[in-house]
Amino acid sequence: MVHLSRLVTFSASHFYRVQHWSDEENKRVFGLCSNIHGHGHDYVVEIMVKGKVNPKTGIVINTTEIKDIARQFIGNELDGKFLNHEHPYFKDHQPTTENLVNYIWSLLEPHLHSCELHKIRLYENDILFSEKGRDNMIHLTRKYHFSAAHRLHSNKLSEEENQSLFGKCNNPHGHGHNYYLEVTVKGQPDPTTGMIINLSDLDSIVEQLVLEKFDHKHLNLDTEEFKDLNPTADNMVVVIWNLLAPFLPKLHKIGLWETEKNYFEYYGPGDE
Ligand SMILES: [Zn+2]
Ligand SMILES: [Zn+2]
């Protein structure tokens, strides 16, 4: 089987509100997104399909066929719309990224005949995206940033071994990175709020437990976690999982970009 993706875009406006809640309650739960006049996003949808390569044509499906199906359904139903007012589905469902990806899946799936819809990833912006795959679960990923210094050095190795293994990264004065952290939760959207987890709750948990600890710090010198543990990105994804997991029962994955070229991820101790 071969997997392939096609990106399509659409723009829409929305707000999040529960009609029978007071203004205060809506603001408390949905924050700025509760503004009844709405706000908007340029959404990017990544449609991934899988199938067998046709030996005659050499392709699974013509990507323009995916584009045409997407244009017909996403284009007609969502593009340029105020989702709450103009779309029957979003009269009963909050137009969150979680509910939107679910809806887009149901729009496209019946129309892809020569291949199987494998995954849809919906970007609301660069730091928030949701995904749906065939297991019916929804994933929501939020991206965060911190900058930190570190020195790669294991106290289980000799000076010479550290120098030869880590080279420049073993510099006793340390060096630093722009880290980009991806926190993914998995579940079903709440029927009332449309969210797997309240985003402002997620943000404040990550802010307090991870960013405040590591942002603009020297990991070896300023943090308890890496006082005796080599602050490699490999160790960092596990440490960050352990910090967050007790407070995020739906935590699915920690992803960490150490640089633009080095990416690490961890699915928790159950993934052996
Ligand atoms: Zn929004
Ligand atoms: Zn480094």
Side-chain angles (χ1 to χ4, degrees):
M1 290 283 198
V2 169
H3 294 69
L4 62 112
S5 290
R6 171 82 198 193
L7 298 185
V8 296
T9 59
F10 71 95
S11 300
S13 54
H14 65 175
F15 57 72
Y16 304 157
R17 285 185 84 85
V18 175
Q19 290 310 328
H20 61 273
W21 288 359
S22 67
D23 255 8
E24 288 67 33
E25 184 66 357
N26 274 301
K27 259 189 207 139
R28 193 185 62 76
V29 175
F30 297 121
L32 291 173
C33 301
S34 67
N35 174 8
I36 203 155
H37 299 133
H39 65 279
H41 301 285
D42 292 308
Y43 291 95
V44 177
V45 191
E46 182 181 344
I47 303 161
M48 186 184 276
V49 300
K50 73 171 183 182
K52 289 209 167 96
V53 179
N54 179 320
K56 266 193 205 156
T57 60
I59 58 173
V60 175
I61 180 174
N62 196 331
T63 51
T64 55
E65 192 181 329
I66 306 176
K67 183 190 75 180
D68 291 343
I69 292 168
R71 187 177 287 164
Q72 190 184 346
F73 294 96
I74 297 177
N76 286 344
E77 293 217 21
L78 304 174
D79 192 29
K81 296 280 166 65
F82 195 128
L83 299 174
N84 307 69
H85 295 313
E86 295 184 272
H87 205 288
Y89 185 81
F90 296 110
K91 285 195 169 29
D92 304 325
H93 300 81
Q94 303 291 342
T96 56
T97 40
E98 294 96 313
N99 276 342
L100 262 169
V101 81
N102 222 350
Y103 183 69
I104 291 170
W105 179 283
S106 71
L107 275 182
L108 301 182
E109 218 245 339
H111 303 284
L112 288 162
H113 302 301
S114 53
C115 58
E116 192 175 86
L117 187 54
H118 178 66
K119 185 163 83 177
I120 292 185
R121 179 181 281 189
L122 172 71
Y123 289 91
E124 186 178 277
N125 51 44
D126 289 342
I127 57 165
L128 185 72
F129 62 86
S130 59
E131 293 163 290
K132 181 180 167 91
R134 298 205 72 83
D135 66 356
N136 247 347
M137 297 301 277
I138 309 284
H139 296 82
L140 185 78
T141 299
R142 183 76 143 168
K143 201 168 177 177
Y144 302 90
H145 169 60
F146 62 93
S147 302
H150 69 171
R151 178 196 187 196
L152 298 188
H153 186 90
S154 168
N155 54 18
K156 297 184 174 64
L157 299 173
S158 69
E159 292 295 328
E160 293 69 31
E161 285 170 326
N162 270 299
Q163 180 54 41
S164 113
L165 182 58
F166 298 119
K168 267 188 185 175
C169 302
N170 186 237
N171 171 7
H173 300 293
H175 66 282
H177 297 289
N178 286 322
Y179 291 95
Y180 287 91
L181 167 68
E182 293 180 352
V183 178
T184 302
V185 292
K186 173 177 162 180
Q188 292 299 332
D190 178 272
T192 308
T193 65
M195 302 191 284
I196 296 173
I197 182 170
N198 186 297
L199 264 190
S200 55
D201 292 350
L202 177 63
D203 288 349
S204 65
I205 289 170
V206 176
E207 177 73 40
Q208 284 171 37
L209 297 176
V210 180
L211 305 184
E212 279 180 19
K213 251 182 218 283
F214 299 152
D215 191 24
H216 285 72
K217 297 285 168 60
H218 190 302
L219 299 174
N220 311 62
L221 304 178
D222 294 328
T223 73
E224 274 305 304
E225 286 75 9
F226 297 107
K227 211 166 60 180
D228 300 312
L229 182 68
N230 194 5
T232 57
D234 322 47
N235 275 333
M236 287 174 74
V237 285
V238 178
V239 164
I240 293 171
W241 174 283
N242 290 337
L243 288 170
L244 293 176
F247 300 89
L248 293 175
K250 293 175 180 167
L251 184 61
H252 172 64
K253 181 177 84 183
I254 296 297
L256 186 67
W257 292 90
E258 184 182 48
T259 67
E260 281 177 6
K261 294 175 188 156
N262 291 336
Y263 173 72
F264 301 78
E265 61 185 33
Y266 182 59
Y267 290 81
D271 180 40
E272 289 307 329

Coordinates of all heavy atoms in Angstrom, one line a residue, residues 11-17 33-40 77-88 90-91 95:
S11 N -11.2 29.1 4.1 CA -11.2 30.1 5.1 C -12.6 30.1 5.7 O -13.6 30.0 4.9 CB -10.9 31.5 4.6 OG -9.6 31.5 4.0
A12 N -12.8 30.3 7.0 CA -14.1 30.3 7.6 C -14.0 31.1 8.9 O -13.0 31.2 9.5 CB -14.6 28.9 7.8
S13 N -15.2 31.6 9.3 CA -15.2 32.3 10.6 C -16.1 31.5 11.5 O -16.9 30.6 11.1 CB -15.7 33.7 10.5 OG -16.9 33.8 9.8
H14 N -15.9 31.7 12.8 CA -16.7 30.9 13.8 C -16.6 31.6 15.2 O -15.9 32.5 15.4 CB -16.3 29.5 13.9 CG -14.9 29.3 14.4 ND1 -14.3 28.0 14.6 CD2 -13.9 30.1 14.8 CE1 -13.1 28.1 15.1 NE2 -12.8 29.4 15.2
F15 N -17.5 31.1 16.1 CA -17.3 31.4 17.5 C -17.6 30.1 18.3 O -18.2 29.2 17.7 CB -18.1 32.6 18.0 CG -19.6 32.4 17.8 CD1 -20.4 31.5 18.5 CD2 -20.2 33.2 16.8 CE1 -21.7 31.4 18.3 CE2 -21.6 33.1 16.6 CZ -22.3 32.2 17.3
Y16 N -17.2 30.0 19.6 CA -17.7 28.9 20.4 C -18.6 29.4 21.5 O -18.1 30.3 22.3 CB -16.4 28.2 21.1 CG -15.4 27.7 20.1 CD1 -14.1 27.5 20.6 CD2 -15.6 27.4 18.8 CE1 -13.0 27.1 19.8 CE2 -14.6 27.0 18.0 CZ -13.3 26.8 18.5 OH -12.3 26.4 17.7
R17 N -19.8 28.9 21.5 CA -20.7 29.3 22.6 C -21.7 28.2 22.9 O -22.1 27.5 22.0 CB -21.5 30.6 22.2 CG -20.7 31.9 22.2 CD -21.6 33.0 21.9 NE -22.3 33.5 23.1 CZ -21.8 34.4 23.9 NH1 -20.6 34.9 23.8 NH2 -22.5 34.8 25.0
C33 N -12.5 33.1 22.0 CA -13.3 32.4 21.0 C -14.8 32.5 21.2 O -15.6 32.2 20.4 CB -12.9 30.9 20.9 SG -11.2 30.7 20.6
S34 N -15.2 33.1 22.4 CA -16.6 33.2 22.7 C -17.2 34.5 22.1 O -18.5 34.7 22.1 CB -16.9 33.2 24.2 OG -16.4 34.3 24.8
N35 N -16.4 35.4 21.5 CA -16.9 36.6 20.9 C -18.0 36.3 19.9 O -17.7 35.7 18.8 CB -15.8 37.4 20.2 CG -16.2 38.6 19.5 OD1 -17.4 39.0 19.5 ND2 -15.3 39.2 18.7
I36 N -19.2 36.7 20.1 CA -20.4 36.3 19.3 C -20.3 36.9 17.9 O -21.0 36.4 17.0 CB -21.7 36.7 20.0 CG1 -22.8 35.9 19.5 CG2 -22.0 38.2 19.9 CD1 -24.0 35.7 20.5
H37 N -19.5 37.9 17.7 CA -19.3 38.4 16.3 C -18.4 37.5 15.4 O -18.3 37.7 14.2 CB -18.8 39.8 16.3 CG -19.8 40.8 17.0 ND1 -19.3 41.7 18.0 CD2 -21.1 40.9 16.9 CE1 -20.4 42.3 18.4 NE2 -21.5 41.9 17.8
G38 N -17.7 36.6 16.1 CA -16.8 35.7 15.4 C -15.4 36.2 15.1 O -15.1 37.3 15.3
H39 N -14.6 35.2 14.7 CA -13.3 35.5 14.2 C -13.0 34.4 13.2 O -13.8 33.5 13.1 CB -12.2 35.4 15.4 CG -12.1 34.1 16.0 ND1 -13.0 33.6 16.9 CD2 -11.2 33.1 15.8 CE1 -12.7 32.3 17.2 NE2 -11.6 32.0 16.6
G40 N -11.9 34.4 12.5 CA -11.7 33.5 11.4 C -10.3 32.9 11.3 O -9.4 33.3 12.0
E77 N -19.2 23.6 1.1 CA -19.8 23.6 2.4 C -19.2 24.5 3.4 O -19.8 24.9 4.4 CB -19.9 22.2 2.9 CG -20.8 21.3 2.1 CD -21.5 20.3 2.9 OE1 -21.6 20.5 4.1 OE2 -21.9 19.2 2.4
L78 N -17.8 24.7 3.3 CA -17.1 25.4 4.4 C -16.4 26.7 4.0 O -16.3 27.6 4.8 CB -16.1 24.4 5.0 CG -16.6 23.1 5.5 CD1 -15.4 22.2 6.0 CD2 -17.6 23.2 6.7
D79 N -15.9 26.7 2.8 CA -15.1 27.9 2.4 C -15.9 29.2 2.3 O -17.0 29.2 1.7 CB -14.5 27.6 1.0 CG -13.4 28.6 0.7 OD1 -12.7 29.1 1.7 OD2 -13.1 28.9 -0.5
G80 N -15.4 30.2 3.0 CA -16.0 31.5 3.0 C -17.3 31.6 3.8 O -18.0 32.5 3.7
K81 N -17.5 30.6 4.7 CA -18.7 30.6 5.5 C -18.5 31.0 7.0 O -17.4 30.9 7.5 CB -19.3 29.2 5.6 CG -19.7 28.6 4.2 CD -21.1 29.1 3.8 CE -21.4 28.9 2.3 NZ -21.5 27.5 2.0
F82 N -19.6 31.5 7.6 CA -19.6 31.7 9.0 C -20.2 30.4 9.6 O -21.4 30.2 9.4 CB -20.4 32.9 9.4 CG -20.2 33.4 10.8 CD1 -19.9 34.7 11.1 CD2 -20.3 32.5 11.9 CE1 -19.7 35.2 12.4 CE2 -20.1 33.0 13.2 CZ -19.8 34.3 13.4
L83 N -19.4 29.6 10.1 CA -19.8 28.2 10.3 C -21.0 28.1 11.2 O -22.0 27.3 10.9 CB -18.7 27.3 10.9 CG -17.4 27.3 10.0 CD1 -16.3 26.6 10.7 CD2 -17.8 26.5 8.7
N84 N -21.1 28.9 12.3 CA -22.2 28.7 13.3 C -23.5 29.1 12.6 O -24.6 28.5 12.9 CB -22.0 29.6 14.5 CG -20.7 29.4 15.1 OD1 -19.6 29.8 14.6 ND2 -20.7 28.8 16.3
H85 N -23.5 30.2 11.7 CA -24.7 30.7 11.2 C -25.1 30.0 9.9 O -26.3 29.9 9.6 CB -24.6 32.2 10.9 CG -24.4 33.0 12.1 ND1 -25.2 32.9 13.2 CD2 -23.5 34.0 12.4 CE1 -24.8 33.7 14.2 NE2 -23.7 34.4 13.7
E86 N -24.1 29.5 9.1 CA -24.5 29.1 7.8 C -24.4 27.6 7.6 O -24.5 27.1 6.4 CB -23.5 29.8 6.8 CG -23.7 31.3 6.8 CD -22.8 31.9 5.7 OE1 -21.6 32.2 6.0 OE2 -23.3 32.0 4.5
H87 N -24.1 26.9 8.6 CA -24.0 25.4 8.4 C -24.8 24.6 9.4 O -24.6 24.8 10.6 CB -22.5 25.1 8.6 CG -22.1 23.8 7.8 ND1 -22.6 22.6 8.2 CD2 -21.5 23.7 6.7 CE1 -22.1 21.7 7.4 NE2 -21.5 22.3 6.4
P88 N -25.7 23.8 8.9 CA -26.6 23.1 9.8 C -25.8 22.2 10.9 O -26.2 22.2 12.0 CB -27.4 22.2 8.9 CG -27.0 22.5 7.5 CD -25.9 23.5 7.5
F90 N -23.0 22.7 12.3 CA -22.4 23.5 13.4 C -23.4 24.4 14.1 O -23.0 25.2 15.0 CB -21.3 24.4 12.8 CG -20.2 23.5 12.3 CD1 -19.9 23.4 10.9 CD2 -19.4 22.7 13.1 CE1 -18.9 22.5 10.4 CE2 -18.4 21.8 12.7 CZ -18.2 21.7 11.3
K91 N -24.7 24.1 13.8 CA -25.7 24.7 14.7 C -25.8 23.8 16.0 O -26.1 24.3 17.1 CB -27.1 24.7 14.0 CG -27.2 25.9 13.0 CD -28.6 26.1 12.6 CE -28.9 27.3 11.8 NZ -27.9 27.9 11.0
P95 N -17.9 24.6 16.3 CA -17.0 24.4 15.2 C -15.5 24.4 15.6 O -14.7 25.2 15.2 CB -17.3 25.6 14.3 CG -18.0 26.6 15.2 CD -18.5 25.9 16.4

